[in-house]
Amino acid sequence: MEAGIFWLVLLVAAGAAVYLFQKSRPSIAHKKPQPILQEWGASEKGNPTQIYHGKDVTVFESDGGWKFTIGDPNDRREPYFSEPYETVDIAKTEALRHINRLPSLHQSLPEQRREKRRQKEEEQREEFVSNEPEIIAALAASADAAANVTELRKIERKAETQLRHVDRVVGSIAIYGSDEAIEKALIVQKEARELLENIRMRVAELKEKPRNNKAGPSAS
């Protein structure tokens, strides 16, 4: 009797162990198949090419970099052409990622240029907020020291040029700048406009003086 119970318990334990082992194994049906990467061949023009997921993929040199084109052999529509990338290997990588609808790992050359331009504009905006008040103050001091219309006219032209620059940068700051930067830029713009207005008023005053002197004392 005891021997029978022993063997019964042993069989139950063995069955439970087999069940738990099978449950812990990953199901083959749930495994995500990995894409098979094919070797790149060469086109008639010597460019890297391959058929990937049923698409004709070719990488070629153009516009100072490397582009890729993706076409469907069974589709008469124009193939897709990418922007140029820095190297042939980057273009290859981005071509396959484009087909797999994966995000880009690298910037194209136009994207790099746009990013550099954006950074440069950001630096210019920061310099503007820091340096422009000093430039306007220097022009105002020169205007105060001017003794005649000729000198004031020269400063007036500089003030006009400076105001155009201020208006252009303030417009950029209004779109891309922080609230603090916008506030400072508007103050600078107001000062630049007031400076030009004051210079023009002084020019008018100096031009009026000779007329008053020529008129002489009025007869009583």
Side-chain angles (χ1 to χ4, degrees), residues 15 19 21 25 34 42 57 69 76 83 107-109 114 116 122 124 126 129 132 137 148 157 164 178 193 203 218:
Y19 171 77
F21 174 74
R25 294 179 62 189
Q34 297 296 322
V57 186
T69 178
R76 293 184 177 181
E83 291 184 330
Q107 288 183 326
S108 66
L109 293 180
R114 287 192 290 269
K116 289 180 180 178
E122 179 63 26
Q124 289 176 342
E126 292 177 357
V129 173
E132 195 64 26
N148 53 58
R157 287 192 291 271
R164 286 194 294 269
S178 63
R193 289 176 176 174
V203 169
S218 59

Side-chain angles (χ1 to χ4, degrees), residues 190-207:
K190 180 182 178 182
E191 292 175 349
R193 289 176 176 174
E194 289 177 349
L195 170 63
L196 183 57
E197 184 178 348
N198 291 337
I199 292 174
R200 287 172 175 171
M201 289 175 60
R202 282 205 59 204
V203 169
E205 290 173 359
L206 290 176
K207 290 175 69 176

Side-chain angles (χ1 to χ4, degrees), residues 169-190:
V169 178
V170 169
S172 176
I173 293 177
I175 298 173
Y176 302 106
S178 63
D179 291 342
E180 182 181 0
I182 293 172
E183 183 179 357
K184 291 181 178 179
L186 291 175
I187 292 174
V188 171
Q189 187 181 47
K190 180 182 178 182

